[in-house]
Amino acid sequence: MSPQPPHDIPEDKGSGREETNVLIEEPPGSPPAKDGGAGSWVPSPVAWFRMLVRELHWSFVLGVVATYGISQGLGGGITRVASDYYWKDVQKVQPSAAQVYHGVTSIPWMVKPLWGLLTDVLPVAGYRRRPYFVLAGIMGVIAMLIVSLHSKLHVMFALLALMSGSASVAIADVTIDACVAENSLIYPHLAADMISLNGFCASVGGLIGFSISGFLVHTIGSQGALGMLTIPSALVILAGFLIKDVHIPNFPYGQAHKKFSEASGKMLMTLKCPEVWRPCFYMYMSLALSVEIQEGMFYWYTDPSAGPSFSEGFIGFIFAIGSVGSLVGVLLYQNILKDYSFRSLLFSSQLLLSLSGMLDLMLVLRLNLKLGIPDYYFAVIDEGISKMINRLKWMPLLVLSSKLCPSGIEGTFFALLMSIDNIGLMTGSWFGGLLLHLLKITRTEFKNLWAAILIRNAMRLLPLALLFLVPRSDPNSILLPADLLAGDDGAEAHRIESVELTSLDVEKNSSTNGSLQESKNKEHLDVGQDDDEASLLANRG
């Protein structure tokens, strides 16, 4: 039985001949409901959100909101500003060192395949998702308490604590990402919508987090602001307890090693496929070559002599405007750009990303003042445009990643692809730290900052030469070969089990050679008996 949703089965709930597919109930507001062609139906945000809640189950959407909106978005906004001030004012490190430390704290995101393997093949107490949400939340609470309560924490211990906090967010992220990858295969027409939901929650959460971050740093200090991150971690714990997760009794833990080996073998086989390794290589290179020098800009922003000497509150406001720009990027992608080909979108966004970097150059050279534009106006415009273009670059990369996941190890492989992205980001961050060091940009010396910006902007053009590695297809296409997408019978059974379809009683009373109509009738009866079980179709494992 294929879990791919049919697009030609009508849903007539007022008829006695109602046809309902338990595995893939036609979602209200999905593509079959369009009347005027592919581009004529644009849902309102509320209707779109309600459709996702009905189709993908409220607990999945809750997990997305808790993970992307509160933990990554809100918490990430506070972390970004508070950690910058923590390294600058508490630990008193140079901007090049702060840039490197920023890369180091992302290391837990590079081992996401490990978290993915655990959630895919190793249930805890019979549950696949709940324990990992709870573990992630507990780690975050402990780590942030250590940073906030210890007044003279050594720089290495501070780095370890911030890495633990980052690991907390990464574990929760990979757990919900597994659900996104599974649902992308079950509901391919909702793949872009799910990525848009993630981006929307992250952008709104980031907007709120950045908006209050400056006030928190100014009022209770950078350590106090980091201590507030225990609240998002606690909400992740709560989401772990509330999320629906089917219990798997008598799991054969003795075979866990075999399952790990099988999953690792399938990951390696998938990576050898040209349809997979080529876009993966592009994703890494495009991020690694986009050198990050944000710490140098932050130190310049807050310097009272060489820079504009922005306050904590205004720094938070700048980043909040960046979140607005990111949200605009999500909306543009969702409503206008999501059906364009990957290659065309990545070409345009990468080119615009390089051009937008020239705004930083104008600001550092104070050309904005010659044009009569104050620093605070220009910095806000710069941040908003840059983050919007960054989001427009990220969205097709995320959708492309969700399309490259083979059946059976969706969560693990999606985590692997995100790890490749994070390794690229860390490489760019470390290159940025090296660049700041070579150009002798320090806490008080910014004479060569313009040169760092110019080099960064030029390097952002280099990934354009590698665009031939990206498929020409659009997000509605199937990119994987049939053997990786469908797999053999055992793999198909494993994938169905991984999304909890074994909790449905559909197949145990139907013959594999039975008629399609007889199977649908049985499924319809099952839906009538347990509507909650039908809601688990697109939910986590």
Side-chain angles (χ1 to χ4, degrees), residues 209-447:
F210 283 126
S211 298
I212 65 175
S213 60
F215 171 77
L216 291 175
V217 171
H218 179 75
T219 304
I220 58 179
S222 58
Q223 288 181 276
L226 290 172
M228 295 293 292
L229 296 177
T230 55
I231 298 175
S233 296
L235 291 176
V236 169
I237 297 175
L238 179 63
F241 282 114
L242 293 179
I243 201 165
K244 274 194 174 182
D245 197 3
V246 176
H247 185 259
I248 305 173
N250 303 319
F251 181 81
Y253 288 98
Q255 299 181 13
H257 180 268
K258 179 181 177 182
K259 291 180 178 292
F260 272 95
S261 300
E262 291 174 352
S264 300
K266 190 165 187 178
M267 288 171 63
L268 182 61
M269 180 182 69
T270 304
L271 280 175
K272 291 180 179 180
C273 178
E275 291 87 349
V276 176
W277 72 259
R278 288 162 61 92
C280 286
F281 182 72
Y282 172 81
M283 286 189 285
Y284 169 77
M285 292 302 298
S286 69
L287 295 169
L289 293 173
S290 297
V291 175
E292 181 61 64
I293 56 170
Q294 183 58 45
E295 295 305 315
M297 291 297 298
F298 169 75
Y299 277 62
W300 181 79
Y301 276 156
T302 57
D303 189 79
S305 56
S309 188
F310 291 148
S311 66
E312 295 94 337
F314 191 72
I315 290 291
F317 177 72
I318 290 176
F319 289 145
I321 296 301
S323 290
V324 174
S326 181
L327 180 58
V328 171
V330 172
L331 297 176
L332 285 174
Y333 178 81
Q334 170 63 24
N335 293 300
I336 299 175
L337 303 173
K338 71 176 182 179
D339 292 325
Y340 283 80
S341 69
F342 293 115
R343 191 177 295 186
S344 62
L345 273 180
L346 290 173
F347 174 82
S348 302
S349 60
Q350 193 71 41
L351 182 61
L352 290 173
L353 190 62
S354 177
L355 295 176
S356 68
M358 293 300 176
L359 295 175
D360 284 337
L361 185 63
M362 294 178 64
L363 184 61
V364 169
L365 295 178
R366 316 315 292 267
L367 297 180
N368 59 294
L369 297 179
K370 295 181 179 179
L371 296 174
I373 306 175
D375 287 333
Y376 48 87
Y377 283 147
F378 200 84
V380 165
I381 295 171
D382 179 8
E383 186 72 12
I385 292 176
S386 298
K387 288 300 185 289
M388 179 188 71
I389 296 172
N390 259 309
R391 180 60 69 176
L392 288 175
K393 175 187 173 181
W394 263 108
M395 296 299 286
L397 288 179
L398 293 174
V399 176
L400 177 60
S401 297
S402 73
K403 292 288 185 177
L404 298 177
C405 300
S407 64
I409 55 168
E410 298 92 342
T412 303
F413 202 78
F414 192 84
L416 174 65
L417 297 178
M418 293 299 99
S419 294
I420 293 173
D421 289 349
N422 282 289
I423 293 173
L425 289 171
M426 187 194 72
T427 305
S429 183
W430 284 4
F431 279 157
L434 178 61
L435 182 62
L436 293 173
H437 178 72
L438 293 176
L439 294 177
K440 298 182 177 7
I441 298 169
T442 66
R443 293 170 56 88
T444 57
E445 179 57 54
F446 305 97
K447 182 175 61 177

Side-chain angles (χ1 to χ4, degrees), residues 192-203:
D193 293 272
M194 284 183 280
I195 298 300
S196 296
L197 176 65
N198 296 348
F200 178 81
C201 291
S203 297

Side-chain angles (χ1 to χ4, degrees), residues 138-207:
I138 292 175
M139 286 181 61
V141 169
I142 294 175
M144 292 303 102
L145 284 177
I146 290 174
V147 174
S148 62
L149 297 179
H150 201 297
S151 59
K152 296 182 179 179
L153 193 62
H154 189 274
V155 64
M156 287 297 104
F157 289 111
L159 189 59
L160 286 174
L162 290 175
M163 282 181 62
S164 298
S166 179
S168 163
V169 181
I171 294 173
D173 173 85
V174 78
T175 306
I176 201 67
D177 278 351
C179 305
V180 172
E182 291 165 355
N183 290 334
S184 293
L185 292 179
I186 298 175
Y187 297 97
H189 62 283
L190 291 178
D193 293 272
M194 284 183 280
I195 298 300
S196 296
L197 176 65
N198 296 348
F200 178 81
C201 291
S203 297
V204 173
L207 173 61

